[in-house]
Amino acid sequence: MLTRNEQRLHEWLPDDPDLVRIVARLMADVATAPEAVEPGEASVIAVVTLTVQHTPRLIPQQVERALHHGISAQHVLEAIYQLVPVVGLPKVLDALRAVHTVLPTAKPTAATTTETGAAIQQQLYGTEIKTLLQDLPANAGHDLPAWLTQHFFEDYYGRAGLTVAQRERYELMALITLNVDFQIKAHARGSLKAGNSEPTLIWSALQLLPYVGFPLVINSVQRIHAAAVDLDK
């Protein structure tokens, strides 16, 4: 009898039963470890990394699993919406088409939080981006960080539906999937300052193992650990 992971993988890989069994063991090991994140949270992380990797056909099963474990439709949609400034609109559009096969009428509330995105950026990152880009010519050094504040933090972090800690955690998982080391370092620190614990971030990253492999995850958990040690000084 196939396990639940094997059933899911068999739908993806009907002609490769040996690979299904191998990958299912890894997925089961990660999911059943005592320190593992909750199943619903694991499915949201899967949706995030599948969106970044532009693999929409694998998304509906993860959305169904997230809903089954108590994750709201708004939670799933907000986690995807905020990926636009990270991976661009085309990948998000395809992910949303896949999501809406499961949630055809789901629409998040337009409510916003009381804290502005610019204030959140200042608390977590200070003037890091402004300083980094200030020498760019032709006003780019002003416009690019201003657009980042507006589109990344104001447009998304100011919305209801996810906490700042959740938004930072999902963004970090997206950046790990992209393998952008500079941003991984920065957002590991920002995610910790937003209220995520080091074990939560590390075990969230471990959920990515079947999707991005060991090298990226090992590199990333080292970055998370280094950021935690630095903040504890």
Side-chain angles (χ1 to χ4, degrees):
M1 183 175 179
L2 295 177
T3 66
R4 184 169 298 178
N5 282 333
E6 287 175 334
Q7 289 172 350
R8 186 186 317 140
L9 289 167
H10 182 71
E11 292 181 20
W12 300 347
L13 299 164
D15 299 320
D16 300 280
D18 286 349
L19 182 58
V20 166
R21 285 190 290 271
I22 292 169
V23 177
R25 282 201 300 271
L26 172 60
M27 295 178 75
D29 286 345
V30 173
T32 60
E35 302 84 355
V37 300
E38 294 295 325
E41 175 71 6
S43 290
V44 177
I45 291 170
V47 169
V48 168
T49 191
L50 291 170
T51 299
V52 175
Q53 294 181 81
H54 199 202
T55 316
R57 71 184 183 88
L58 306 186
I59 288 176
Q61 286 182 337
Q62 295 295 344
V63 174
E64 290 176 343
R65 184 168 180 259
L67 297 173
H68 175 75
H69 288 285
I71 300 294
S72 70
Q74 181 176 4
H75 188 129
V76 173
L77 290 172
E78 288 292 335
I80 298 173
Y81 286 0
Q82 70 170 15
L83 294 175
V84 172
V86 180
V87 298
L89 184 59
K91 288 181 178 179
V92 169
L93 280 176
D94 283 347
L96 289 173
R97 289 191 185 102
V99 168
H100 288 306
T101 64
V102 180
L103 302 171
T105 61
K107 293 181 181 179
T109 177
T112 58
T113 64
T114 57
E115 193 170 19
T116 68
I120 294 168
Q121 181 187 18
Q122 180 64 34
Q123 292 167 11
L124 300 183
Y125 299 101
T127 60
E128 177 181 326
I129 292 298
K130 288 183 180 179
T131 302
L132 178 69
L133 302 175
Q134 63 185 354
D135 293 333
L136 294 179
N139 217 37
H142 171 271
D143 289 345
L144 185 52
W147 292 338
L148 178 68
T149 297
Q150 177 60 54
H151 188 50
F152 192 93
F153 290 97
E154 287 286 339
D155 287 350
Y156 297 98
Y157 277 48
R159 291 173 59 88
L162 295 176
T163 66
V164 174
Q166 288 169 331
R167 290 190 182 279
E168 276 291 312
R169 188 163 67 247
Y170 297 146
E171 295 290 355
L172 178 59
M173 297 306 108
L175 295 169
I176 291 171
T177 304
L178 287 170
N179 191 25
V180 282
D181 196 55
F182 175 83
Q183 286 87 353
I184 291 169
K185 290 178 183 178
H187 278 266
R189 185 181 180 89
S191 294
L192 291 163
K193 292 176 71 175
N196 292 293
S197 70
E198 180 186 358
T200 294
L201 293 181
I202 286 178
W203 276 94
S204 295
L206 293 179
Q207 293 297 319
L208 298 174
L209 278 170
Y211 303 98
V212 306
F214 280 86
L216 289 187
V217 170
I218 290 172
N219 178 72
S220 299
V221 296
Q222 288 178 311
R223 298 290 180 255
I224 292 166
H225 180 62
V229 170
D230 185 61
L231 286 172
D232 283 341
K233 288 181 181 177

